[in-house]
C-alpha cells in the first residue's frame, strides 16, 4: 500500500478506528507542535506509520499504527511506548499530523529497519525445532549495557470485594543483594524497538497470550485474568517466570496448594451480624480473588492458589446485607425456601436489645500530634474531640443518628440520642 492510499484510507476511517476523546487529545498535540517526526513503511495490502511524539516523559514517545485492508474492511493495529500502549493520543496525533499534510523533520527522521525482519517469529520458529521442544524452562537473561535483564511478571489485585487479578510482562534486573529490582514493562521503545526478539519461544508465547487479553480498565499496561483460560495462563506464568505483586521488594510469589472456602457469621459492634468469607488454613490477611473460579493470595506465605468453592455462592455472600437482631427470626422462618441457604451456616440467635434513654455526659478527648510546618520546623499540635457518654457507652459527636446501637457482650444497647443536649454542650 503506497502512502497516498494509506492517507486516503486513514482519512475515511480514522473516526471509527479511534474514539472521539482520543482524537481530540491528538488534535491538541498536533496544534502544539508535539509531533516531531514521522516515517511511513509500505507493505502488501497494508501500511505502517511511525511517529515520534513529545509527551510528558523526558524522551519522546514512539507511536505506530498499521492499517490492514481486507476488502471493504479496514483493521487498525497500534502501539506506543507510553503507559497506555495502544490507541492512545500519541497514535492519534501521528495519524492527524499526516492527514493534515504534516511533513517529517529531517533532523529527527526515524530510520526504517534495514530489510525485512522476522523479529519474534524467529524465536517462535526456533521453539518448534525438535531440540527446543524438550528444552528445560529457564527465564531469558540477556546482556544490555553491562546489566542483565530477566523476563518477569508483575501482578496487581483489582478493586472490589471479589477482585480479579491483573498482570503485565516486565524486564527485571537482578539486585546486588539478591532478588530483583527496577521493573520496566516489556514494550517497544526508541532504544529498544524490538524487545520481543530476545525472548525464547515459550516466553514469547506466554507474553503474547497475556497481551491478547482484555487491558485493565485501571490502565498501567496491565491485562485482566478473569476466566478459565486466565487460570491456566497464571499457573504457567507462576511455574515458569519470576512473579511478584505490586513491587519486586515484596518477594516472589509461588503457586500454592488448594484450600477450602469458609463461610461464617461475624458479630459487629453495631449489633448486626454479617456473612463473611475466609480461606481455610490461610493467614488472616489472605485475600480472596476471582479469576475463572475462586483463588486466594496469601501475603504471609507469598502464595497464590485455587480455592474449592462455588463462585456464585461467594458472590451471593458478599452481597448479603447486615442482619439486624430483630430480623433473625424472620430469616430463619424462610431459610428452607432458598436452596442456596442450605449450604450456609445459620446465624446466631437474636441478641437481647436493651433500650437506653439517658442524658448524655460530654467527654473531651485530648491528644498531641507531631507536625512540621512549611519551614521544616517540627512542633506539637494539641487536638481535642468531643464525644458523649450514654450510661457507660461512648459515642462520637458525628455522625449522630437518632438511634444508635452498640454490642456489649451478649447484649445490644440501643441508645436514644439527645441531640439538643449534645448541640448545647458543643456550643
Amino acid at each position: 500500500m503506497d502512502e497516498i492510499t494509506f492517507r486516503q484510507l486513514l482519512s475515511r476511517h480514522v473516526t471509527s478506528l479511534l474514539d472521539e476523546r482520543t482524537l481530540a487529545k491528538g488534535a491538541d498535540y498536533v496544534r502544539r507542535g508535539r509531533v516531531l517526526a514521522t516515517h511511513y513503511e509500505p507493505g502488501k495490502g497494508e501500511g505502517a506509520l511511525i511517529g515520534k511524539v513529545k509527551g510528558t516523559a523526558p524522551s519522546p514517545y514512539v507511536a505506530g499504527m498499521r492499517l490492514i485492508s481486507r476488502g471493504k474492511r479496514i483493521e487498525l493495529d497500534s502501539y506506543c511506548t507510553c503507559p497506555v500502549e495502544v490507541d492512545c493520543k500519541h497514535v492519534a496525533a501521528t495519524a492527524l499530523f499526516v492527514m493534515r499534510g504534516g511533513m517529517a523533520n529531517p533532523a529527527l527522521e526515524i530510520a526504517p529497519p534495514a530489510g525485512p525482519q522476522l523479529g519474534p517469529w524467529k524465536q517462535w520458529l526456533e521453539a518448534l525445532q525438535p531440540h527446543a521442544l524438550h528444552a528445560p524452562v529457564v527465564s531469558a537473561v540477556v546482556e544490555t549495557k553491562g546489566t542483565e535483564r530477566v523476563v518477569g511478571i508483575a501482578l496487581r489485585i483489582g478493586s472490589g470485594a471479589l477482585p480479579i487479578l491483573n498482570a503485565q510482562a516486565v524486564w527485571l534486573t537482578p539486585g546486588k543483594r539478591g532478588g530483583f529490582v527496577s521493573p520496566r514493562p516489556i514494550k517497544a521503545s526508541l532504544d529498544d524497538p524490538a524487545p520481543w526478539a530476545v525472548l525464547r519461544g515459550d516466553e514469547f508465547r506466554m507474553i503474547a497470550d497475556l497481551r491478547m487479553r482484555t487491558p485493565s480498565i485501571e490502565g498501567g499496561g496491565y491485562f485482566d485474568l478473569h476466566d478459565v483460560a486466565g487460570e491456566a495462563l497464571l499457573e504457567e506464568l507462576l511455574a515458569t517466570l519470576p512473579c511478584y505483586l505490586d513491587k519486586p521488594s515484596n518477594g516472589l510469589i509461588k503457586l500454592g496448594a488448594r484450600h477450602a472456602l469458609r463461610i461464617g457469621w461475624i458479630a459487629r459492634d453495631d449489633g448486626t451480624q454479617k456473612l463473611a468469607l475466609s480461606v481455610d488454613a490461610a493467614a488472616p490477611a489472605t485475600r480472596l480473588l476471582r479469576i475463572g473460579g475462586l483463588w486466594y493470595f496469601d501475603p504471609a506465605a507469598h502464595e497464590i492458589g485455587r480455592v474449592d468453592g462455588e463462585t456464585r455462592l461467594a458472590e451471593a455472600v458478599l452481597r448479603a446485607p447486615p442482619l439486624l437482631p430483630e430480623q433473625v427470626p424472620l430469616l430463619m422462618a424462610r431459610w428452607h425456601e432458598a436452596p442456596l441457604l442450605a449450604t450456609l451456616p445459620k446465624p446466631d440467635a437474636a441478641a437481647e436489645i436493651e433500650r437506653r434513654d439517658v442524658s448524655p455526659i460530654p467527654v473531651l478527648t485530648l491528644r498531641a500530634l507531631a507536625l512540621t510546618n512549611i519551614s521544616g520546623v517540627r512542633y506539637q499540635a494539641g487536638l481535642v474531640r468531643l464525644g458523649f457518654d450514654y450510661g457507660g457507652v461512648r459515642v462520637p459527636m458525628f455522625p449522630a443518628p437518632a438511634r444508635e446501637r452498640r454490642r456489649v457482650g451478649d447484649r445490644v444497647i440501643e441508645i436514644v440520642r439527645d441531640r439538643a443536649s449534645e448541640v448545647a454542650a458543643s456550643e
Side-chain angles (χ1 to χ4, degrees):
M1 182 188 303
D2 58 50
E3 188 171 357
I4 296 177
T5 304
F6 181 94
R7 291 180 185 235
Q8 291 173 345
L9 290 174
L10 190 60
S11 299
R12 288 201 296 266
H13 298 280
V14 68
T15 54
S16 62
L17 299 173
L18 296 168
D19 63 74
E20 184 178 349
R21 185 178 179 184
T22 302
L23 288 171
K25 292 180 179 180
D28 179 61
Y29 266 39
V30 174
R31 285 192 298 270
R32 293 159 61 187
R34 287 180 169 264
V35 180
L36 307 179
T38 61
H39 173 78
Y40 178 75
E41 274 293 306
K44 186 176 181 181
E46 64 181 49
L49 177 67
I50 304 172
K52 186 187 293 184
V53 183
K54 177 62 178 175
T56 55
S59 301
Y61 295 122
V62 176
M65 60 186 308
R66 184 167 61 110
L67 286 185
I68 306 170
S69 177
R70 302 189 186 279
K72 296 182 179 180
R73 185 162 56 94
I74 300 298
E75 295 179 1
L76 170 67
D77 182 19
S78 72
Y79 76 92
C80 186
T81 57
C82 75
V84 179
E85 295 192 337
V86 296
D87 298 349
C88 63
K89 59 187 176 184
H90 309 105
V91 172
T94 302
L96 294 173
F97 179 83
V98 299
M99 283 170 54
R100 298 179 182 182
M103 300 297 292
N105 183 342
L108 295 171
E109 187 68 24
I110 304 172
Q117 302 289 318
L118 271 177
W121 283 101
K122 181 179 179 182
Q123 307 295 324
W124 185 85
L125 291 170
E126 289 177 356
L128 296 181
Q129 300 301 318
H131 69 274
L133 292 176
H134 304 286
V137 176
V138 181
S139 180
V141 178
V142 297
E143 293 291 334
T144 171
K145 298 182 180 179
T147 61
E148 291 182 335
R149 293 192 305 179
V150 179
V151 179
I153 299 295
L155 299 174
R156 180 179 69 185
I157 296 177
S159 57
L162 193 58
I164 63 174
L165 198 64
N166 306 142
Q168 75 165 326
V170 295
W171 288 122
L172 294 172
T173 302
K176 295 180 179 178
R177 299 181 180 180
F180 297 97
V181 296
S182 306
R184 292 188 299 108
I186 299 179
K187 59 183 182 180
S189 66
L190 200 60
D191 295 330
D192 191 5
W196 323 111
V198 299
L199 299 178
R200 203 182 54 249
D202 59 335
E203 293 171 332
F204 175 75
R205 175 183 53 77
M206 286 186 290
I207 294 175
D209 286 348
L210 177 61
R211 292 179 63 87
M212 289 177 66
R213 305 191 63 79
T214 304
S216 169
I217 60 173
E218 298 176 14
Y222 283 81
F223 297 86
D224 290 343
L225 300 175
H226 57 75
D227 52 21
V228 175
E231 291 182 325
L233 177 59
L234 175 60
E235 289 183 322
E236 188 175 12
L237 291 172
L238 290 169
T240 307
L241 301 176
C243 302
Y244 65 89
L245 187 73
D246 295 332
K247 54 185 179 180
S249 59
N250 289 336
L252 297 184
I253 299 173
K254 60 181 180 295
L255 183 64
R258 280 180 177 266
H259 289 313
L261 180 68
R262 284 186 175 271
I263 302 176
W265 291 88
I266 296 178
R268 307 202 303 179
D269 291 340
D270 62 357
T272 62
Q273 301 179 61
K274 189 76 171 66
L275 276 171
L277 302 173
S278 61
V279 179
D280 190 27
T286 297
R287 296 194 61 181
L288 199 62
L289 313 172
R290 176 179 57 81
I291 304 179
L294 296 175
W295 286 64
Y296 69 88
F297 169 63
D298 185 343
H302 294 89
E303 291 181 345
I304 288 180
R306 293 179 182 265
V307 174
D308 289 327
E310 187 181 349
T311 304
R312 189 170 66 93
L313 178 61
E315 292 173 340
V317 166
L318 292 171
R319 291 195 303 268
L323 181 64
L324 299 171
E326 55 267 36
Q327 292 174 329
V328 173
L330 301 175
L331 179 63
M332 294 307 300
R334 301 186 59 181
W335 196 264
H336 65 280
E337 297 179 8
L340 193 64
L341 294 179
T343 60
L344 298 179
K346 295 181 180 180
D348 294 334
E352 178 187 351
I353 300 177
E354 177 186 323
R355 182 183 174 91
R356 187 165 293 181
D357 192 351
V358 297
S359 297
I361 299 175
V363 178
L364 287 179
T365 303
L366 308 176
R367 63 175 293 200
L369 184 66
L371 299 175
T372 304
N373 63 19
I374 58 175
S375 301
V377 178
R378 292 182 62 81
Y379 65 98
Q380 293 285 328
L383 306 180
V384 61
R385 181 176 61 189
L386 176 62
F388 300 94
D389 187 298
Y390 281 87
V393 179
R394 190 78 58 84
V395 297
M397 178 71 179
F398 297 104
R403 299 176 186 273
E404 192 160 348
R405 290 179 174 180
R406 289 287 188 274
R407 182 179 294 275
V408 180
D410 295 333
R411 298 176 301 155
V412 175
I413 308 297
E414 183 175 270
I415 301 165
V416 180
R417 299 284 292 261
D418 184 353
R419 196 58 181 159
S421 297
E422 292 181 4
V423 171
S426 175
E427 292 176 349

